[in-house]
Amino acid sequence: MISDKNTCLHELKDKIKEFVKEREWERYHHPKELAISMSIEIAELLEIFQWEEKECLGLLENNQQKMERIREELADVIMYALSISNQLNIDLSQAIIKKLEANKIKYPSEKVLKEGLYKKKTY
Ligand SMILES: [Mg+2]
């Protein structure tokens, strides 16, 4: 069974590339259109939580109907992200590690733990 533990990012990117090519959708998949579509899928993910009290994670995970909707919308979001990386030949693994390293510098753990989770903005 396919899972995160046994699937590489490039395999998913190849599957998405193949799906798009089989349908000749490359002509529609300009990065701008993909980013817009990704944003719409993020809105669909947010809609699941709209106007609801925050549930503790255990309750949320036990709500199978809601979890299935979350799974589907999250997959839509990630598939568009992978499509953008395909179209622009972005190595996502490199990009994620690079960004994570930048975030480590921007938010050093010692400072975050000392000053709180989020730095308060001063206007
Ligand atoms: Mg969707």
Side-chain angles (χ1 to χ4, degrees):
M1 183 180 180
I2 290 179
S3 81
D4 286 350
K5 290 182 179 176
N6 64 18
T7 308
C8 294
L9 204 49
H10 78 84
E11 293 176 78
L12 296 175
K13 288 175 72 172
D14 287 349
K15 283 182 186 294
I16 288 169
K17 192 181 283 185
E18 185 184 328
F19 177 87
V20 171
K21 187 174 181 172
E22 285 171 352
R23 286 153 186 81
E24 298 182 356
W25 282 351
E26 296 96 336
R27 59 195 147 142
Y28 305 115
H29 280 208
H30 186 280
K32 175 190 154 236
E33 308 306 330
L34 294 170
I36 290 169
S37 299
M38 186 173 160
S39 179
I40 292 167
E41 296 300 340
I42 290 169
E44 290 178 2
L45 178 63
L46 284 171
E47 191 178 33
I48 297 168
F49 301 104
Q50 186 181 26
W51 307 121
E52 293 196 4
E53 297 289 327
K54 275 189 196 171
E55 292 175 71
C56 75
L57 287 180
L59 281 176
L60 186 57
E61 286 172 343
N62 286 333
N63 187 332
Q64 292 181 8
Q65 190 178 7
K66 189 181 277 188
M67 284 299 294
E68 184 55 27
R69 290 179 61 209
I70 293 169
R71 239 185 306 277
E72 286 180 7
E73 299 310 338
L74 193 55
D76 284 340
V77 171
I78 299 300
M79 286 192 295
Y80 277 119
L82 294 175
S83 285
I84 293 170
S85 74
N86 276 340
Q87 290 293 355
L88 296 175
N89 294 313
I90 291 172
D91 186 310
L92 266 182
S93 297
Q94 284 180 9
I96 289 169
I97 295 301
K98 187 177 176 185
K99 184 62 179 167
L100 197 54
E101 292 302 318
N103 285 349
K104 282 181 184 177
I105 293 167
K106 191 174 181 182
Y107 306 104
S109 60
E110 316 79 46
K111 191 174 179 189
V112 170
L113 292 174
K114 186 177 169 190
E115 297 178 7
L117 187 57
Y118 301 104
K119 187 177 178 186
K120 289 180 182 164
K121 288 183 178 175
T122 50
Y123 295 100

